């Protein structure tokens, strides 16, 4: 076997883990983020995971591909490394990465067949109901939207043909939490799987699988990559059948993450823990500032003691993160604020090192329509902020001068 072949994914636990496992201890989060799937390459010792920029692989003889690598839609060593890393961070069995978060949701849909039903959080990322209602219904899939913060409402919505309960917690943009453990119980009683979109918390603050979820989804575009410079999505699996089927879907449908983007995420996750700590610390400070401002009518942030779900937040998450939504009172107030901010960048997306500020009604949730937004409580005065890791005093000074115009 060619030496280079060893550069591909190594099987078994990484060498550093053997020592830790001998002590009966597993490695901590940051150690796994930096080392799982990120082992030095065997050929040169390259500490950075190489980007395997190739579409195909030379075969030694007919029917003998090296280490099984035949074509890059099917497998790529950079991608294999990332899939191993993200599975470790979420405590899953395996993971499969896709070209975007929405490509991961699409892959999930292709796990179903016509006539299957999904119970979905009513206040999810706007692109999800767009995909479900305007594309997937054409293939006979059925969707029911409920307020999943009410477990009884989830239970009532379950049907004989329900295949998945799809929960986003905290939700975008209202930061409503759903009790993952309780929902997993009612779903499992009927043999239904629970899928949790964990994008807002990242695996550093919340691990849905440990609470009973069957699959975890992320838009890696956000906190996992963390630098607003690449798109991606992942489905973390707990069962062999899920992982095998999703690998088949990668091969058949082709919506895979590119090797370069895989490398960006591998690089990004190395600092996930320290970034999340800072996002959380600054998030709490900015939320408290907004909560105390006379110009702000209401603040949606699970870390405020006044938040009705504070207790669940403390039980289910290890931090509160940096996603905050607040009510400015009107569209014209929101417009004025967004025009005046300078440190905060007006733009869609979240989870980057830079503070991003947006207007859900006209940006991320425009596709829902005025009626749809009203139903779930997204007003024209709402502003969402993804607090970055700039100096928090600068972020607050910026918000203060912008709020003064209201
Ligand atoms: C951004 C986002 C998505 C979609 O991910 P893309 O990478 O933009 O396709 C899904 N869920 C949540 C919570 C998101 O924030």
């Amino acid at each position: 076997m060619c030496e280079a072949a060893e550069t591909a994914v190594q099987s078994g636990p990484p060498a550093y883990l053997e020592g830790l496992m001998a002590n009966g201890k597993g490695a901590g989060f940051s150690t796994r983020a930096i080392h799982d799937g990120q082992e030095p390459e065997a050929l040169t010792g390259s500490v950075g995971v190489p980007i395997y920029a190739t579409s195909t692989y030379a075969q030694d003889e007919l029917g003998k591909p090296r280490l099984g690598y035949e074509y890059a839609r099917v497998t790529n060593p950079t991608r294999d490394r990332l899939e191993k890393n993200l599975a470790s961070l979420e405590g899953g069995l395996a993971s499969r990465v896709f070209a975007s978060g929405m490509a991961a949701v699409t892959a999930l849909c292709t796990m179903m067949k016509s006539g299957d039903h999904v119970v979905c959080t009513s206040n999810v990322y706007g692109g999800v109901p767009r995909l479900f209602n305007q594309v997937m219904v054409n293939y006979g899939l059925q969707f029911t939207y409920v307020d999943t913060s009410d477990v009884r409402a989830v239970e009532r919505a379950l049907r004989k043909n329900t295949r998945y309960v799809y929960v986003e917690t905290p939700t975008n943009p209202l930061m409503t939490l759903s009790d993952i453990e309780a929902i997993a119980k009612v779903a499992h009683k009927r043999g239904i799987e629970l899928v949790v979109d964990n994008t807002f918390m990242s695996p550093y603050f919340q691990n849905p699988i440990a609470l009973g979820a069957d699959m975890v989804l992320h838009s890696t575009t956000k906190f996992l990559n963390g630098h607003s410079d690449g798109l991606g999505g992942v489905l973390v699996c707990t069962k062999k059948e899920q992982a095998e089927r999703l690998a088949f879907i990668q091969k058949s449908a082709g919506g895979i993450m590119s090797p370069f983007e895989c490398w960006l995420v591998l690089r990004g996750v190395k600092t996930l823990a320290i970034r999340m700590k800072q996002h959380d610390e600054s998030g709490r400070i900015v939320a408290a500032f907004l909560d105390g401002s006379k110009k702000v009518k209401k603040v949606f942030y699970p870390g405020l003691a006044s938040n009705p779900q504070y207790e669940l937040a403390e039980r289910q998450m290890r931090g509160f993160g940096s996603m905050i939504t607040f009510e400015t009172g009107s569209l014209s107030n929101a417009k004025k604020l967004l025009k005046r901010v300078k440190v905060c960048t007006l733009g869609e997306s979240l989870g980057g090192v830079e503070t991003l500020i947006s207007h859900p009604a006209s940006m991320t949730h425009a596709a829902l329509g005025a009626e749809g937004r009203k139903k779930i409580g997204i007003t024209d005065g709402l502003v969402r902020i993804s607090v970055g890791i700039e100096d928090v005093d600068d972020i607050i000074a910026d918000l203060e001068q912008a709020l003064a115009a209201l």
Side-chain angles (χ1 to χ4, degrees):
M1 184 171 56
C2 168
E3 253 181 304
E6 288 171 36
T7 59
V9 207
Q10 297 160 9
S11 57
Y16 79 89
L17 258 183
E18 280 164 21
L20 292 174
M21 288 200 304
N23 303 333
K25 284 201 293 189
F29 187 91
S30 287
T31 309
R32 284 183 285 128
I34 294 167
H35 293 291
D36 282 10
Q38 310 242 34
E39 299 83 2
E41 177 231 18
L43 188 63
T44 63
S46 163
V47 167
V49 171
I51 302 170
Y52 285 81
T54 190
S55 59
T56 190
Y57 307 88
Q59 306 191 8
D60 290 331
E61 60 180 278
L62 200 56
K64 284 215 174 139
R66 293 173 199 169
L67 287 179
Y69 288 103
E70 290 175 55
Y71 189 64
R73 177 170 10 86
V74 187
T75 39
N76 176 290
T78 316
R79 201 171 91 211
D80 290 343
R81 301 278 206 126
L82 177 63
E83 291 178 341
K84 196 171 157 192
N85 181 278
L86 296 181
S88 166
L89 297 188
E90 279 292 6
L93 179 75
S95 85
R96 302 287 176 237
V97 294
F98 298 90
S100 66
M102 289 317 303
V105 184
T106 302
L108 179 74
C109 290
T110 62
M111 302 268 280
M112 292 186 271
K113 54 183 193 321
S114 176
D116 283 350
H117 173 246
V118 178
V119 173
C120 177
T121 302
S122 48
N123 165 222
V124 271
Y125 176 76
V128 172
R130 179 173 53 210
L131 173 72
F132 288 172
N133 301 342
Q134 297 183 55
V135 180
M136 291 301 165
V137 291
N138 298 333
Y139 300 90
L141 297 180
Q142 301 165 17
F143 303 92
T144 303
Y145 299 90
V146 300
D147 175 359
T148 52
S149 67
D150 176 0
V151 185
R152 311 255 302 262
V154 176
E155 197 160 24
R156 279 196 300 274
L158 299 177
R159 298 187 200 154
K160 272 211 177 70
N161 57 337
T162 305
R163 177 77 191 278
Y164 296 120
V165 176
Y166 184 96
V167 167
E168 189 180 312
T169 181
T171 61
N172 182 8
L174 295 172
M175 302 303 293
T176 310
L177 307 187
S178 294
D179 187 333
I180 297 171
E181 201 167 9
I183 295 173
K185 278 198 187 118
V186 304
H188 291 167
K189 236 190 316 187
R190 311 246 204 136
I192 296 163
E193 292 190 325
L194 170 63
V195 182
V196 176
D197 183 335
N198 197 25
T199 300
F200 272 31
M201 278 301 116
S202 91
Y204 185 69
F205 283 137
Q206 177 169 274
N207 295 114
I209 289 172
L211 298 167
D214 300 278
M215 269 188 271
V216 172
L217 184 137
H218 284 275
S219 164
T220 65
T221 310
K222 317 295 168 53
F223 289 102
L224 288 173
N225 184 46
H227 295 73
S228 308
D229 51 11
L231 283 175
V234 64
L235 275 164
V236 183
C237 311
T238 56
K239 300 177 187 120
K240 198 161 159 251
E241 309 84 75
Q242 296 165 342
E244 283 174 358
R245 184 68 187 168
L246 285 168
F248 182 77
I249 287 164
Q250 285 181 318
K251 169 163 119 175
S252 308
I256 51 156
M257 196 188 290
S258 78
F260 177 68
E261 237 103 6
C262 291
W263 176 82
L264 279 176
V265 181
L266 278 164
R267 190 175 196 270
V269 293
K270 290 183 185 180
T271 56
L272 182 65
I274 56 166
R275 282 189 285 111
M276 292 313 293
K277 279 181 207 164
Q278 190 60 54
H279 279 301
D280 183 64
E281 186 184 316
S282 299
R284 292 175 199 228
I285 296 169
V286 172
F289 161 76
L290 290 169
D291 199 38
S293 165
K294 285 197 180 64
K295 303 289 176 102
V296 174
K297 312 274 182 289
K298 191 170 177 192
V299 179
F300 300 83
Y301 183 66
L304 290 172
S306 58
N307 187 295
Q309 293 186 300
Y310 182 76
E311 183 271 328
L312 174 60
E314 282 226 300
R315 177 155 46 91
Q316 178 163 283
M317 300 156 14
R318 292 182 295 273
F320 304 115
S322 67
M323 296 304 300
I324 305 165
T325 299
F326 57 99
E327 180 56 69
T328 61
S330 67
L331 177 62
S332 95
N333 276 346
K335 267 192 175 157
K336 271 187 224 158
L337 175 88
L338 295 170
K339 195 161 171 51
R340 282 182 69 124
V341 286
K342 293 186 176 71
V343 177
C344 307
T345 302
L346 172 60
E348 303 216 4
S349 201
L350 58 109
V353 290
E354 55 288 288
T355 298
L356 291 165
I357 196 160
S358 68
H359 183 243
S362 65
M363 297 166 77
T364 49
H365 291 69
L368 282 183
E371 262 314 288
R373 285 194 296 276
K374 198 171 163 200
K375 228 187 259 174
I376 56 174
I378 300 177
T379 64
D380 287 348
L382 278 186
V383 170
R384 188 190 79 182
I385 180 165
S386 166
V387 179
I389 62 172
E390 302 97 336
D391 293 284
V392 71
D393 291 347
D394 295 336
I395 300 169
I396 286 179
D398 190 36
L399 288 170
E400 202 160 28
Q401 64 80 22
L403 282 166
L406 270 54

